[in-house]
Every structure is written in structure tokens, then in C-alpha cells.
Amino acid sequence: MNFLIGAFKPPCNIKITFVDERSRKKATIKKENGQTELVPLFQSQENIAGEISIEPIQGKKVEHIGVKVELLGQIELYFDRGNFYDFTSLVRELDVPGEIYDKKTYPFEFSTVEMPYESYSGVNVRLRYILKVTISRNYVSNIVEYQDFWVRNYTPLPPINNSIKMEVGIEDCLHIEFEYSKSKYHLKDVIIGKIYFLLVRIKIKNMELEIRRRESTGSGPNTYVETETLAKFELMDGAPVRGESIPIRLFLSPYELTPTYRNINNKFSVKYYLNLVLVDEEDRRYFKQQEITIYRMLET
């Protein structure tokens, strides 16, 4: 039995190392088994370089018909597991057909790589960047090794960032006006605004502001939508009166937000909403939702 198990082990070990791995910033990613892993952090237009070492297990040789490394940007939809949609695919041939008897090292480099989308791991979708090393072989299965890395892209300050002003209410019962100072926020930003009560004829118990993330995957009848409430911030406890103004000041940095993703490769979107919720003394809930844009600003 042990012999059979050993028969399916690859005849070599493959190690992928980035050229500046020790000094480069790292990102923590969650693997499918629930464990976490630190991987190198890059941004678009950077060089992806390093070396690949192939070391045969003692007493074995590796016969192959070529060795290559690929840089892949992939989208995986969890309801369609096993199918990967490549939006970036670059290849470097490392070796011609031959045999490997001893440890062999191959340098590689992908220059100024266009990586248009940020890495993302959500409820139903994952956008990932990987290096894939393939040792191609005749008659037996290829030997493949993967190495993840993470991509974050930064956005300059938006030239136009309009405020949000809206009036909502129930006829002859409730009329409020809310205002947010802007509609686009970076990940460490502060949401500042005000709530004005123009008419109050119902007994309001409390009011809170929620941050919601809506992840949409697929299209048509195969569209899946997941909404998560990431934050609940109490604005008021008790009944307001007509003419009262409630300030809003909500810091975004404590929450695990990502930038907004809009129709990425026609596969998925991630949008954020501010949801204003009022609860009356009979526990009826009144709410108004407003979409906002989240972006990543370069930290100086």
C-alpha cells in the first residue's frame, strides 16, 4: 500500500521565489482549507521576477518535453468551480526537452505587467493572480506548481466628488432630509453628513447607519446576489422633534472594505451602500439606501 502511495508522488520538488520576497510587503490571504498565508503584494505595471528551482528526489530523474512558467489572472465563480476565466495570460518558456538529474534553477521575469483588477476573495467569487510552473511530460501527467500573489491598485483623488442630498418620508407622517458630504470615499476615509427632521408624526425609537456590501456574480437567470452588513452605527436613541439635526461621523478604517468593483470582465460586481434605518416604537423599520463608491488611495 505504501508503495502505491509513493508511486503517485512527483519525482521532484518545485520552489518559486520572488526576487525581492524578503523586503516586499505581504498580504494575508485565506486558503480554501481555512488557513491563512502571507503572499507578496504587487500593483499593476510592476515587474514580476524571481527564480524557479526544480530538485529531483534523490535517486530519481525528471524526463520532460519542456518547462514553462505562466502568469495568470483568473476569476473563479464558486457555483462553477473548476472553471477559471483568464483575463491575463503570459508565458515564459524555461527549458527545452531533456532530463534533470540535479537541482536546476531558472530565472524568470515578466516586465511591467498589466494587472487591471485588484485581487478579491468574496462569498461567491475569487479574483486571483498566480504563477503556474508546468513540467510537461510524455505518457504521464504533467507536474504543476502554483504560487499566489496579491494585487492592490491605487486611485488618484477623484476630480469630481459630489455631495449626496435626498429627501425621504411617509406622507403626512415623516419627512426627513439627509446629506452626505461626498459620494466617493477612500478606504481610510470618514463619512460626514447630517440628518434633518422636517416632519415627525410617528414615534421613532432609534436610528442607525449601515454599510452594506452587495456582491453580484453571473448573469441572467444565473445571477447570484449576496448582501452583507459590514457595519452598524447608531446615530440616535430616542424620539427626534421637528427641526432637529443629527450629525453623522463614521470612520471607515475599522471595517474590512474593498474598493468598488464594477462589472469585472462581465463576471462580477461589488458595490457599497449606505443604508439609513429608522425604527419606531412598534419595531417597524423604515430605510433609505444610497450607493457610494469606495476606492484605494495611495498612502503617503
Side-chain angles (χ1 to χ4, degrees), residues 169-265:
I170 305 165
E171 190 173 357
D172 296 329
C173 293
L174 179 69
H175 187 189
I176 64 173
E177 183 180 277
F178 65 87
E179 178 181 350
Y180 303 116
S181 61
K182 52 190 178 181
S183 54
K184 300 173 183 176
Y185 298 87
H186 62 79
L187 293 169
K188 307 294 183 183
D189 218 333
V190 184
I191 294 171
I192 295 174
K194 285 183 180 180
I195 310 290
Y196 303 95
F197 289 88
L198 305 175
L199 177 66
V200 185
R201 287 181 179 166
I202 57 176
K203 294 182 178 179
I204 295 174
K205 185 167 62 175
N206 60 48
M207 179 170 62
E208 62 188 19
L209 185 65
E210 299 175 339
I211 300 175
R212 291 186 172 185
R213 176 164 57 211
R214 183 177 298 164
E215 178 189 281
S216 304
T217 54
S219 60
N222 294 322
T223 300
Y224 295 82
V225 178
E226 290 283 347
T227 301
E228 301 173 86
T229 300
L230 304 179
K232 285 187 177 183
F233 182 72
E234 188 173 76
L235 298 173
M236 181 192 71
D237 185 13
V241 296
R242 179 180 177 181
E244 191 165 358
S245 173
I246 306 295
I248 298 172
R249 192 174 182 85
L250 174 58
F251 291 84
L252 297 181
S253 53
Y255 306 108
E256 292 187 7
L257 306 177
T258 70
T260 295
Y261 296 74
R262 298 192 187 278
N263 196 24
I264 301 300
N265 222 45

Side-chain angles (χ1 to χ4, degrees), residues 16-276:
I16 304 169
T17 308
F18 293 94
V19 71
D20 54 356
E21 196 162 305
R22 289 188 178 182
S23 59
R24 180 167 288 275
K25 286 185 177 180
K26 304 290 194 299
T28 302
I29 64 170
K30 186 176 286 188
K31 301 169 74 175
E32 290 188 8
N33 59 11
Q35 296 180 339
T36 57
E37 179 185 7
L38 284 174
V39 298
L41 186 60
F42 291 88
Q43 65 186 57
S44 188
Q45 302 295 329
E46 281 201 78
N47 294 343
I48 312 291
E51 62 180 29
I52 293 156
S53 66
I54 300 174
E55 186 171 9
I57 293 171
Q58 191 170 10
K60 293 193 175 186
K61 67 177 180 180
V62 180
E63 297 182 30
H64 66 86
I65 56 173
V67 180
K68 66 180 179 181
V69 59
E70 297 169 86
L71 190 155
L72 301 173
Q74 296 181 331
I75 296 172
E76 181 186 16
L77 304 175
Y78 292 159
F79 61 79
D80 192 18
R81 275 193 181 276
N83 286 329
F84 299 95
Y85 301 92
D86 293 349
F87 57 86
T88 294
S89 180
L90 303 170
V91 184
R92 297 286 183 271
E93 300 292 340
L94 300 177
D95 207 349
V96 296
E99 298 176 345
I100 302 174
Y101 295 93
D102 299 305
K103 182 177 179 179
K104 199 166 184 181
T105 300
Y106 303 91
F108 71 89
E109 182 171 1
F110 298 92
S111 301
T112 56
V113 181
E114 180 71 34
M115 296 177 284
Y117 312 126
E118 280 214 4
S119 301
Y120 176 74
S121 181
V123 179
N124 284 321
V125 62
R126 175 172 62 167
L127 189 154
R128 65 193 295 225
Y129 291 89
I130 57 172
L131 290 174
K132 177 183 177 183
V133 176
T134 304
I135 302 174
S136 301
R137 301 193 291 173
N138 271 327
Y139 313 118
V140 289
S141 59
N142 295 340
I143 303 169
V144 180
E145 183 70 22
Y146 299 93
Q147 174 63 57
D148 281 90
F149 61 95
W150 202 257
V151 171
R152 286 181 186 159
N153 289 328
Y154 300 91
T155 305
L157 284 172
I160 299 173
N161 198 349
N162 295 324
S163 62
I164 300 171
K165 291 183 180 180
M166 293 189 72
E167 291 186 15
V168 295
I170 305 165
E171 190 173 357
D172 296 329
C173 293
L174 179 69
H175 187 189
I176 64 173
E177 183 180 277
F178 65 87
E179 178 181 350
Y180 303 116
S181 61
K182 52 190 178 181
S183 54
K184 300 173 183 176
Y185 298 87
H186 62 79
L187 293 169
K188 307 294 183 183
D189 218 333
V190 184
I191 294 171
I192 295 174
K194 285 183 180 180
I195 310 290
Y196 303 95
F197 289 88
L198 305 175
L199 177 66
V200 185
R201 287 181 179 166
I202 57 176
K203 294 182 178 179
I204 295 174
K205 185 167 62 175
N206 60 48
M207 179 170 62
E208 62 188 19
L209 185 65
E210 299 175 339
I211 300 175
R212 291 186 172 185
R213 176 164 57 211
R214 183 177 298 164
E215 178 189 281
S216 304
T217 54
S219 60
N222 294 322
T223 300
Y224 295 82
V225 178
E226 290 283 347
T227 301
E228 301 173 86
T229 300
L230 304 179
K232 285 187 177 183
F233 182 72
E234 188 173 76
L235 298 173
M236 181 192 71
D237 185 13
V241 296
R242 179 180 177 181
E244 191 165 358
S245 173
I246 306 295
I248 298 172
R249 192 174 182 85
L250 174 58
F251 291 84
L252 297 181
S253 53
Y255 306 108
E256 292 187 7
L257 306 177
T258 70
T260 295
Y261 296 74
R262 298 192 187 278
N263 196 24
I264 301 300
N265 222 45
N266 294 320
K267 297 299 178 188
F268 77 98
S269 297
V270 178
K271 297 180 180 180
Y272 287 89
Y273 296 85
L274 295 178
N275 193 39
L276 184 65

